[in-house]
């Protein structure tokens, strides 16, 4: 590929991927990001409606990190491109990869600086894609992991684009030399304790020696996996609509008709929607036999890093880690109260039908949690009052949620359970000034 062709081909990709607006480029100062920065600077000079900002993440992991920051700042100054540097501290925990932590820290910074509707551009290339695919194979990933890195994806309040994915590192190096660019050589790239470096230094050169087109064909496999994953997600979305209860749980009876493979895909999709990630393959395999199909009188659960998967009334629930113990507190009027599981406001109102009456002069309104099941309440529309433990069952409130349901009391007597009911004796008469319960639970 001629040196001129790199620029022409990248511009064609950018024309396809970008709409006018703010662009943010991750700039480490290394070869790849220096090439991308140069190409973007030239691109926006020839197009209208774009702005470009470079962001450098200072991990502080290398003794030369401060010099690298200065180099990046100087480069952007020369190119007249706005430059921002952000320092991050990485605290390594057991069983956590330093590479993964550094990557997470970088993307957290990019989220912080990406304007709404903006596009983040990163300099990943064909060789990076091959490394990502081989690492996914090492982890035993399914199609989603083997899809490696897409050329474009939604990201934060905007998009992420990787315009160099179809170019090899050698092509970028040749172009950088031809354009007389200067860049940083990170000596830690040769440290083979890191998986990516081991692949880069030892494994991939050997594969390329035997199969020169390896990176190209691997990228094709990744693209096919991405296509398959899109299709699987479409099927899972349909299954979720058919089997999800209004409270977000899955109805076990409706899952029984699915094949095991389709059921696993649905469970993955459901949990990813709820938590942004999925359990391990071994954990996923246990959900159906050990939780969904446990004996009728059992209270089965599967604990994983994002929470607990539980069964209640023939439905599967994902329960996030519970907030710390909730305490009784006075409840003001017309002032939002931020609780561990949502925001509650008692709003003065004359119009809504279902409102609490205004408290009498000496009546204190409090918010209570974890009231004993023997407490009685009389929901509007019922003939009699009932014990709270019976009402929890009737309203199908799962046992683990009962202690975190906010209960509004007037002088210690139940007036309403937020999100469920108002009690008969505390209902406001039509046309009178009353209190509407405005409840915004955490997602």
């Amino acid at each position: 590929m001629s040196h001129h062709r790199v620029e022409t081909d990248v511009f064609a990709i950018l024309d396809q991927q970008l709409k006018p607006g703010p662009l943010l480029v991750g700039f480490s100062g290394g070869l790849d990001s220096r090439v991308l920065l140069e190409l973007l600077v030239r691109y926006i000079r020839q197009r209208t409606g774009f702005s470009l900002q470079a962001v450098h993440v200072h991990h502080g992991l290398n003794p030369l990190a401060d010099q690298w920051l200065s180099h990046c700042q100087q480069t952007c100054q020369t190119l007249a491109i706005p430059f921002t540097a952000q320092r991050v501290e990485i605290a390594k925990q057991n069983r956590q990869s330093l590479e993964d932590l550094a990557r997470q820290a970088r993307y957290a910074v990019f989220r912080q600086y990406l304007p709404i509707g903006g596009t983040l551009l990163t300099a990943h290339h064909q060789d990076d894609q091959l490394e990502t695919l081989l690492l996914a194979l090492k982890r035993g990933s399914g199609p989603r992991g083997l899809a490696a890195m897409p050329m474009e994806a939604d990201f934060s309040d905007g998009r992420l684009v990787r315009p160099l994915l179809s170019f090899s590192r050698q092509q970028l190096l040749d172009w950088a030399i031809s354009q007389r660019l200067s860049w940083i050589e990170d000596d830690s790239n040769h440290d083979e304790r890191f998986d990516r470096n081991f692949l880069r230094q030892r494994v991939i050169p050997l594969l390329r020696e035997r199969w020169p087109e390896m990176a190209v064909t691997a990228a094709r496999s990744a693209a096919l996996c991405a296509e398959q994953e899109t299709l699987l997600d479409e099927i899972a979305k349909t299954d979720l609509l058919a089997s999800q209860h209004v409270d977000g749980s899955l109805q076990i009876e409706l899952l029984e008709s699915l094949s095991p493979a389709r059921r696993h895909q649905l469970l993955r999709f459901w949990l990813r929607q709820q938590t942004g990630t999925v359990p391990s393959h071994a954990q996923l395999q246990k959900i159906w036999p050990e939780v969904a199909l446990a004996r009728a009188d059992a209270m089965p659960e599967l604990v994983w890093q994002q929470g607990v998967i539980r069964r209640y009334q023939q439905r599967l629930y994902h329960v996030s880690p519970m907030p710390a113990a909730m305490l009784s507190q006075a409840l003001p009027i017309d002032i939002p109260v931020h609780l561990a599981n949502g925001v509650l406001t008692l709003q003065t109102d004359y119009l809504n039908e279902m409102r609490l009456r205004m408290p009498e002069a000496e009546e204190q309104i409090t918010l209570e949690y974890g009231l004993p099941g023997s407490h009685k309440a009389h929901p509007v529309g019922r003939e009699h009052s009932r014990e709270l433990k019976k009402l929890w069952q009737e309203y199908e409130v799962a046992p683990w949620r009962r202690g975190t349901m906010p209960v509004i009391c007037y002088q210690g007597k139940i007036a309403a359970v937020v999100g469920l009911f108002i009690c008969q004796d505390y209902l406001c008469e039509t046309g009178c000034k009353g209190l509407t319960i405005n409840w915004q639970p955490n997602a």
Side-chain angles (χ1 to χ4, degrees), residues 182-440:
S182 63
W183 60 89
I184 293 160
E185 288 291 354
D186 182 349
D187 55 343
S188 69
N189 284 339
H190 299 284
D191 186 344
E192 291 180 7
R193 288 175 302 173
F194 296 117
D195 290 343
R196 274 193 185 272
N197 292 345
F198 174 72
L199 289 172
R200 195 173 296 156
Q201 305 296 333
R202 297 274 200 96
V203 178
I204 290 173
L206 207 57
L207 292 173
R208 273 225 162 93
E209 197 180 305
R210 175 80 184 210
W211 301 292
E213 294 299 302
M214 182 74 186
V216 178
T217 53
R220 196 181 311 143
S221 289
L224 288 168
C225 285
E227 199 175 276
Q228 293 297 311
E229 186 61 19
T230 303
L231 176 61
L232 291 170
D233 275 355
E234 284 174 15
I235 294 167
K237 203 172 192 175
T238 306
D239 289 342
L240 185 65
L241 284 170
S243 58
Q244 195 166 28
H245 189 265
V246 287
D247 64 4
S249 62
L250 293 180
Q251 301 180 84
I252 289 169
E253 186 186 1
L254 298 175
L255 267 62
E256 282 177 322
S257 60
L258 302 178
S259 68
R262 190 160 169 175
R263 192 161 52 229
H264 280 150
Q265 186 64 18
L266 169 57
L267 289 169
R268 277 190 207 97
F269 187 78
W270 174 62
L271 290 169
R272 191 177 291 112
Q273 279 208 328
Q274 302 232 355
T275 68
T277 184
V278 292
S280 69
H281 181 68
Q283 288 170 323
L284 194 77
Q285 296 279 353
K286 290 177 179 177
I287 295 173
W288 188 249
E290 295 185 15
V291 182
L293 302 184
R295 65 179 197 278
D297 61 346
M299 291 285 283
E301 59 177 43
L302 184 134
V303 180
W304 67 302
Q305 70 267 32
Q306 295 293 326
V308 187
I309 296 152
R310 290 187 158 124
R311 183 191 68 188
Y312 178 66
Q313 299 209 341
Q314 287 307 296
R315 298 205 294 272
L316 284 176
Y317 287 84
H318 182 264
V319 186
S320 296
M322 283 296 176
M326 299 173 177
L327 305 171
S328 164
Q329 59 180 285
L331 196 54
I333 292 172
D334 290 325
I335 298 172
V337 178
H338 291 264
L339 306 171
N341 55 347
V343 181
L344 177 65
T345 316
L346 284 187
Q347 286 175 325
T348 310
D349 184 6
Y350 287 88
L351 300 172
N352 269 316
E353 282 184 26
M354 292 297 282
R355 290 169 298 143
L356 286 167
R357 65 168 173 76
M358 297 298 289
E360 291 167 10
E362 298 302 313
E363 239 175 355
Q364 193 190 15
I365 305 179
T366 58
L367 199 58
E368 309 285 346
Y369 292 98
L371 291 176
S374 56
H375 273 243
K376 290 197 169 182
H378 186 178
V380 169
R382 301 288 185 100
E383 284 186 25
H384 307 288
S385 62
R386 300 211 69 182
E387 288 186 333
L388 201 49
K389 64 184 176 189
K390 299 284 186 192
L391 291 169
W392 291 138
Q393 289 169 359
E394 286 176 30
Y395 283 94
E396 297 187 346
V397 179
W400 58 87
R401 287 186 61 218
R402 295 170 190 174
T404 63
M405 296 286 284
V407 178
I408 298 172
C409 292
Y410 281 40
Q411 283 307 107
K413 292 190 175 174
I414 298 174
V417 175
V418 174
L420 282 191
F421 58 77
I422 288 177
C423 291
Q424 190 76 51
D425 293 346
Y426 299 90
L427 186 66
C428 185
E429 290 178 22
T430 310
C432 293
K433 180 180 173 184
L435 298 170
T436 291
I437 300 169
N438 184 342
W439 174 236
Q440 296 170 302

Side-chain angles (χ1 to χ4, degrees), residues 8-23 36 40 43 47 50 117-122 149-154 158-167:
T8 310
D9 289 356
V10 172
F11 280 19
I13 290 165
L14 293 172
D15 281 338
Q16 222 174 2
Q17 303 290 351
L18 300 183
K19 295 188 182 89
L23 305 179
L36 179 59
L40 288 172
Y43 180 79
R47 306 288 188 276
F50 291 100
T119 302
L120 168 67
L121 295 111
T122 62
M149 296 181 287
M151 185 175 277
E152 61 169 326
D154 291 335
R159 289 167 66 248
L160 165 61
V161 171
R162 299 180 174 100
L164 305 183
L165 268 189
S166 53
F167 300 86

